[in-house]
């Protein structure tokens, strides 16, 4: 009986910890043409988590500890984009649609 009870609580704890992470996904495009920005970098500031966009401009970061984050998106030749106060909730997926503007160069 004691072993069964221990197994039950072990499974319960494992299931509870499984749903404790969040996911951030989205798409990064050019603000003028709507073209996907292949290889744009998406970083969760203050963590070691980040990804590059795929061929369609999509990205996905999984297994994020729930909380409030700052997300920074960069791409060569474009102005950096920073989103603050992005709230990630346990077991949920947050979606960002990012449009970036070409960086104007004044020499």
């Amino acid at each position: 009986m004691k072993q069964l009870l221990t197994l039950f609580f072990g499974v319960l704890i494992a299931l509870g910890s499984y749903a404790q992470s969040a996911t951030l996904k989205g798409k990064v495009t050019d603000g003028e043409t709507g073209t996907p920005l292949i290889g744009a970098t998406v970083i969760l500031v203050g963590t070691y988590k980040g990804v590059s966009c795929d061929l369609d401009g999509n990205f996905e970061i999984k297994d994020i500890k729930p909380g409030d984050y700052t997300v920074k998106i960069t791409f060569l030749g474009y102005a950096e984009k920073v989103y603050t106060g992005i709230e990630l909730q346990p077991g949920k997926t947050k979606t960002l649609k990012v449009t970036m503007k070409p960086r104007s160069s004044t020499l």
Side-chain angles (χ1 to χ4, degrees):
M1 180 68 175
K2 189 174 184 179
Q3 291 174 344
L4 185 60
L5 195 56
T6 303
L7 178 65
F8 174 74
F9 282 118
V11 170
L12 189 63
I13 290 170
L15 289 175
S17 64
Y18 177 73
Q20 295 301 314
S21 66
T23 301
L24 177 67
K25 71 176 189 174
K27 185 168 187 161
V28 180
T29 58
D30 180 293
E32 296 174 2
T33 65
T35 305
L37 296 181
I38 302 166
T41 304
V42 182
I43 297 173
L44 287 177
V45 177
T47 72
Y48 293 105
K49 294 191 179 279
V51 294
S52 294
C53 294
D54 66 13
L55 295 174
D56 296 318
N58 296 316
F59 67 89
E60 184 173 30
I61 305 174
K62 296 181 179 182
D63 298 325
I64 305 168
K65 181 179 175 184
D68 289 339
Y69 290 91
T70 297
V71 180
K72 181 167 78 170
I73 300 100
T74 58
F75 191 69
L76 188 62
Y78 286 77
E80 177 179 284
K81 198 89 173 223
V82 178
Y83 293 93
T84 57
I86 301 296
E87 184 182 354
L88 300 177
Q89 298 177 353
K92 303 234 175 156
T93 299
K94 178 80 170 182
T95 303
L96 292 178
K97 292 182 181 178
V98 182
T99 56
M100 298 185 74
K101 295 181 181 179
R103 181 175 304 180
S104 60
S105 61
T106 54
L107 299 174

